[in-house]
């Protein structure tokens, strides 16, 4: 029997994803963010709806990921307080009093959070970390692509090194007395190991002929639609500022 | 800002350490709902960034470390939330501004950078709340008083005292992070037998 989840996935998979470059995804992300930030309260449902439709067309899987309990709980925690804090309590549901003004405010907050979460999830799903680093490199952060690549690959080794240092300290009773000193020594060991790794990486990179002055910026995925989408995004943001 | 391969690798390592703190410890603290977890995370992250600054004493290096940590947080497995990312970048920016105004790295500039960087954690909801999530400043204010009142055991009516106490705590935690960052950096430099990357080259 085909479950609803499978059916939903098949439907999502059948929608052909447009081939976009990193710049397009970033422009859509920035536009969605600006849209929910700038939209006046009465127009927010329309603006948020538009953003969610665009997100559904470009990265439909980001919605599925949001159906996790912790995301729903976070939206609830951020959106519910205005129900009881904003305006006079003039209505009640199941004996719980709330204000209609607060309800409107809570709905706006929930819509904004939903759009932001979908946009961030969609961006991280569609664009890889090296593309973002490549874009930032072009924006003036020279060498960031190399550094982010090194940092990303170092994470598991650093985590292991920190865990080993902590366990050694713990098992040898280093935290029983002079805890402050022990924590300082822990930090020295972790950072010292990390610095030694940095030294090795720098030597290896130089041995392979890497030079920050001469290296090309990290390649980013490009598409013919990039400039069109960027222009549309900028025009939309400009229009929203004018309407506001 | 011109950086050598060695400096880029050092900044990468410190960015990775800050990112690691945010990804691992950040998730644990948020899940356990520990009070002032934001300040604790910011203090540890800034201490790491400040140690990095001592090894690469160039303008923009703290912001560079923050940018790496922010990107690692953005692409972490736990899923991305905009708040922590904005937080990392702005804390790094605040620390960078303070350090750049101070000239050569000194203990006092490290303490101030840490203190102001962590104090930003207190102010951030007032900026990101209305801008990103549409929360009114009043709601953010009431939320702050409620949480602060519960933490300090004060009535929410003592608003000024709650805010002052929270500000002092944040500044003290940040100052301590700066102090510790300076000490660890000096300890490391003497143990590894070097001052900064300039001396090596």
């Amino acid at each position: 029997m085909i479950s609803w989840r499978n059916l939903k996935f098949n439907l999502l998979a059948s929608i052909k994803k447009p081939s976009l470059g990193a710049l397009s995804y970033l422009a859509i992300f920035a536009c969605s963010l600006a849209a929910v930030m700038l939209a006046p309260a009465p127009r927010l449902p329309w603006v948020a709806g538009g953003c969610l439709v665009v997100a559904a067309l470009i990265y439909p899987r980001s919605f599925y990921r949001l159906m996790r309990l912790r995301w729903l709980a976070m939206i609830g925690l951020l959106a519910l307080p205005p129900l009881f804090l904003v305006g006079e309590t003039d209505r009640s549901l199941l004996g719980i009093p709330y204000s209609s003004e607060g309800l409107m405010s809570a709905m706006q907050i929930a819509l904004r959070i939903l759009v932001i979460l979908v946009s961030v999830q969609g961006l991280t799903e569609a664009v890889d970390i090296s593309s973002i680093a490549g874009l930032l490199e072009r924006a003036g952060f020279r060498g960031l692509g190399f550094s982010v690549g090194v940092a990303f690959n170092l994470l598991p080794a650093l985590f292991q090194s920190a865990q080993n240092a902590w366990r050694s300290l713990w098992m040898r009773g280093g935290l029983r007395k002079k805890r402050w000193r022990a924590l300082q020594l822990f930090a020295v060991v972790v950072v010292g190991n990390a610095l030694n790794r940095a030294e090795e990486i720098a030597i290896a990179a130089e041995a392979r002929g890497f030079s920050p002055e001469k290296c090309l910026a990290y390649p980013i995925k490009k598409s013919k639609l990039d400039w069109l989408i960027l222009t549309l995004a900028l025009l939309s943001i400009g229009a929203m500022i004018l309407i506001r | 800002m011109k950086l050598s391969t060695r400096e880029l690798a050092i900044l990468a390592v410190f960015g990775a350490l800050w990112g690691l703190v945010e990804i691992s410890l950040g998730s644990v603290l948020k899940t356990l709902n520990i009070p002032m977890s934001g300040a604790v995370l910011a203090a540890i992250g800034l201490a790491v960034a400040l140690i990095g600054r001592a090894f690469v004493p160039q303008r923009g290096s703290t912001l560079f470390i923050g940018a790496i940590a922010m990107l690692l947080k953005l692409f972490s497995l736990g899923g991305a939330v905009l708040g922590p990312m904005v937080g990392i970048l702005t804390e790094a920016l605040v620390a960078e501004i303070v350090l750049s105004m101070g000239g050569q790295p000194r203990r006092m500039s490290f303490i101030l950078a840490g203190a102001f960087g962590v104090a930003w954690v207190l102010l951030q909801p007032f900026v990101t709340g209305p801008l990103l999530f549409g929360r009114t400043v009043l709601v953010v204010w009431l939320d702050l008083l409620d949480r602060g009142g519960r933490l300090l055991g004060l009535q929410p009516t003592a608003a000024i005292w709650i805010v002052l106490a929270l500000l002092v705590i944040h500044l003290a935690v940040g100052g301590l992070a700066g102090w510790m960052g300076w000490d660890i950096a000096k300890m490391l430099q003497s143990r590894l037998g070097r001052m900064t990357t300039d001396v090596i080259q």
Side-chain angles (χ1 to χ4, degrees):
Chain A
M1 199 176 114
I2 299 169
S3 69
W4 167 240
R5 185 180 285 189
N6 285 341
L7 186 66
K8 200 164 63 177
F9 257 130
N10 289 338
L11 277 172
L12 293 176
S14 66
I15 301 168
K16 198 185 172 191
K17 267 176 90 174
S19 171
L20 299 177
L23 198 63
S24 297
Y25 286 117
L26 209 64
I28 292 165
F29 170 71
C31 187
S32 302
L33 224 61
V36 289
M37 275 163 64
L38 295 170
R43 291 191 181 131
L44 185 66
W46 296 103
V47 171
C51 291
L52 292 174
V53 168
V54 171
L57 288 173
I58 294 169
Y59 19 73
R61 275 175 187 267
S62 56
F63 285 89
Y64 179 69
R65 283 188 180 181
L66 280 179
M67 291 301 123
R68 287 178 186 161
L69 187 65
R70 67 181 182 130
W71 292 122
L72 297 174
M74 196 196 86
I75 294 174
L77 277 173
L78 282 168
L80 286 178
L83 268 178
F84 314 104
L85 294 172
V86 175
E88 293 292 319
T89 48
D90 51 359
R91 291 183 186 190
S92 73
L93 181 71
L94 301 170
I96 304 166
Y98 67 93
S99 81
S100 48
E101 194 187 337
L103 179 67
M104 294 307 291
S105 180
M107 280 167 64
Q108 284 169 30
I109 291 170
L111 273 176
R112 283 190 163 111
I113 298 170
L114 194 65
V115 170
I116 288 170
L117 285 177
V118 166
S119 304
V120 177
Q121 287 283 358
L123 179 77
T124 53
E125 191 184 283
V127 184
D128 60 343
I129 192 165
S130 57
S131 292
I132 298 279
L135 280 169
L136 285 171
E137 249 187 10
R138 284 166 178 82
F141 277 93
R142 200 149 178 77
L144 189 69
F146 170 75
S147 293
V148 168
V150 169
F152 200 66
N153 288 310
L154 261 180
L155 272 180
L158 286 180
F159 185 62
Q160 193 61 50
S161 160
Q163 246 184 353
N164 290 345
W166 181 257
R167 281 178 188 154
S168 302
L169 197 69
W170 184 267
M171 288 195 310
R172 289 173 190 178
L175 293 165
R176 268 189 222 149
K177 281 185 181 177
K178 295 183 182 174
R179 287 184 184 167
W180 184 247
R181 173 86 180 146
L183 284 176
Q184 272 189 328
L185 286 176
F186 169 70
V188 167
V189 170
V190 173
V191 180
N193 284 342
L195 279 169
N196 286 334
R197 279 178 198 277
E199 205 78 26
E200 287 167 13
I201 290 161
I203 291 167
E206 279 171 355
R208 290 186 181 112
F210 174 82
S211 162
E213 287 91 36
K214 289 171 193 165
C215 77
L216 293 171
Y218 257 57
I220 54 168
K221 195 184 161 195
K222 288 178 182 168
S223 151
K224 285 175 186 173
L225 294 170
D226 279 355
W227 290 108
L228 177 72
I229 288 175
L230 185 66
T231 313
L232 282 175
L234 287 174
L235 283 174
S236 313
I237 294 170
M240 275 179 281
I241 292 170
L242 283 176
I243 291 167
R244 195 177 150 86
Chain B
M1 182 173 67
K2 275 192 175 178
L3 297 164
S4 66
T5 310
R6 182 170 277 111
E7 285 171 332
L8 283 175
I10 289 173
L11 293 180
V13 159
F14 283 101
L17 279 173
W18 190 350
L20 192 67
V21 169
E22 287 285 341
I23 295 165
S24 56
L25 195 63
S27 307
V28 173
L29 291 179
K30 291 284 173 199
T31 311
L32 295 175
N33 201 16
I34 290 171
M36 292 190 58
S37 55
V40 173
L41 277 176
I44 299 172
L46 279 170
V48 169
L50 291 171
I51 299 169
R53 177 69 171 227
F55 280 87
V56 186
Q58 283 204 39
R59 268 172 200 244
S61 57
T62 315
L63 187 61
F64 203 95
I65 292 171
I68 295 168
M70 187 266 294
L71 283 175
L72 293 180
K73 179 77 181 171
L74 175 67
F75 287 87
S76 69
L77 276 174
V81 186
L82 216 55
M85 284 159 47
V86 175
I88 293 170
L89 209 60
T90 38
E91 284 153 21
L93 185 67
V94 170
E96 179 63 54
I97 292 167
V98 175
L99 290 169
S100 298
M101 285 194 304
Q104 280 294 309
R106 287 192 203 97
R107 185 187 287 276
M108 190 40 90
S109 59
F110 268 45
I111 292 171
L112 286 176
F116 285 118
V118 175
W120 171 258
V121 175
L122 199 63
L123 295 175
Q124 192 183 314
F126 290 95
V127 180
T128 52
L131 263 180
L132 293 176
F133 306 122
R135 301 178 89 197
T136 57
V137 176
L138 180 72
V139 171
V140 179
W141 170 254
L142 291 173
D143 196 30
L144 176 80
L145 290 184
D146 182 46
R147 279 190 292 122
R150 269 187 286 149
L151 181 74
L152 302 164
L154 293 169
Q155 289 295 319
T157 44
I160 299 293
W161 293 112
I162 291 172
V163 173
L164 270 179
L166 284 176
L167 188 65
V168 168
I169 291 170
H170 278 76
L171 286 171
V173 170
L176 196 66
W179 181 287
M180 200 169 164
W182 179 265
D183 272 353
I184 292 170
K186 291 295 137 193
M187 214 188 275
L188 272 165
Q189 282 171 345
S190 66
R191 282 185 183 213
L192 297 174
R194 60 186 173 185
M195 288 308 285
T196 63
T197 48
D198 295 341
V199 177
I200 301 168
Q201 285 156 9

